[in-house]
Amino acid sequence: MPPRKLVAGNWKMNGLAASAEMLETFRRAHPAPACDVLVCPPATLIAGLAGRGTALGGQDCHPEASGAHTGDISAEMLRDAGAEAVILGHSERRTDHGETDALVAAKAAAAARAGLTAIVCVGETESQRDAGRAMEVVGGQLAGSLPPEADPAGLVIAYEPVWAIGTGRTPSLAEIGEMHDFLRARLIERFGAEPGAAIRLLYGGSVKPGNAAEIFAVGNVGGGLIGGASLKAEDFGAIVAAAG
Ligand code: 13P
């Protein structure tokens, strides 16, 4: 049997205490989803949403466990608040905060140290794709964003083409398949056949109820990383149902 798919919601900088209601609505409608579900709210909400039956993740962490880093949050803190995973190297962090592959790799090592699954994001810009460089760019990000000692069991890779995030545009199913096959081959090269084949690959970028099922049916797509649509209980529920 293929592994269960994973649908992860990335709330980005959205959500207040009242968002617990949205999660409740989702849970009531989908009490026993046929896929794994993860919700990554802002860090301020993790402790308050923990222990209610939905796995939670952070959206970033600092490489160190503690110290003089005003405003930062460590992987250990996320774990302590109730998180099981953390998104790392999202394109918005790479762009807004100048995060490099090396920094993302250090954060992934921190996630492993704290016992969190690292969801490492990669993805090309539109101009890179237009120049025929999508695979070269994504392959480079993948190689550089994983720490040398990476344990494949604690790893998820999310392919999110930058130009598809929040735009309503997606690559063709063939392009999604091509990139996921490429990532799978790279992971097998790096970690060996079985561990490399078991790492879940998520597609992210304008996944909606209307396109989720066809995207999740593409070979090597192990689920999705959902932005805007994860903020609405009904849409997120429909996407989760499409992954079952
Ligand atoms: P959208 O689903 O809003 O395009 O965002 C995707 C994303 O960035 C998830 O991390």
Side-chain angles (χ1 to χ4, degrees):
M1 247 187 21
R4 278 160 70 94
K5 294 213 186 301
L6 168 64
V7 173
N10 175 9
W11 286 10
K12 308 191 179 184
M13 199 174 72
N14 297 289
L16 300 170
S19 309
E21 273 174 46
M22 174 261 152
L23 208 48
E24 263 324 303
T25 307
F26 161 74
R27 266 195 291 258
R28 269 196 303 274
H30 301 272
C35 65
D36 293 337
V37 175
L38 177 77
V39 167
C40 300
T44 48
L45 297 181
I46 292 175
L49 295 176
R52 302 189 197 195
T54 300
L56 299 172
Q59 300 177 10
D60 176 46
C61 70
H62 192 278
E64 290 175 31
S66 62
H69 301 289
T70 302
D72 278 313
I73 292 174
S74 72
E76 281 77 1
M77 291 169 178
L78 292 174
R79 174 84 189 202
D80 184 56
E84 297 173 22
V86 59
I87 298 169
L88 297 173
H90 191 281
S91 71
E92 287 149 17
R93 294 212 58 88
R94 291 178 187 264
T95 303
D96 296 355
H97 299 273
E99 292 196 4
T100 60
D101 290 342
L103 180 59
V104 176
K107 292 179 174 197
R113 183 188 65 218
L116 299 178
T117 296
I119 303 174
V120 175
C121 302
V122 294
E124 82 286 357
T125 62
E126 184 157 36
S127 60
Q128 288 166 336
R129 177 162 283 272
D130 289 347
R133 296 184 52 228
M135 286 190 180
E136 171 201 333
V137 168
V138 167
Q141 287 176 335
L142 182 74
S145 302
L146 302 184
E149 68 282 11
D151 174 5
L155 235 132
V156 171
I157 307 297
Y159 168 58
E160 299 206 307
V162 177
W163 51 274
I165 294 175
T167 58
R169 297 166 57 208
T170 57
S172 69
L173 297 177
E175 286 167 336
I176 292 175
E178 188 182 35
M179 188 60 85
H180 283 72
D181 291 351
F182 168 75
L183 287 167
R184 177 68 68 214
R186 284 290 169 97
L187 291 170
I188 287 174
E189 250 171 55
R190 169 141 185 189
F191 294 110
E194 263 187 51
I199 296 172
R200 279 196 283 206
L201 299 177
L202 308 184
Y203 169 78
S206 295
V207 178
K208 307 286 177 206
N211 62 14
E214 60 184 22
I215 291 174
F216 295 159
V218 173
N220 277 318
V221 173
L225 184 54
I226 320 300
S230 74
L231 298 170
K232 295 184 201 127
E234 203 178 319
D235 287 0
F236 192 57
I239 292 169
V240 163

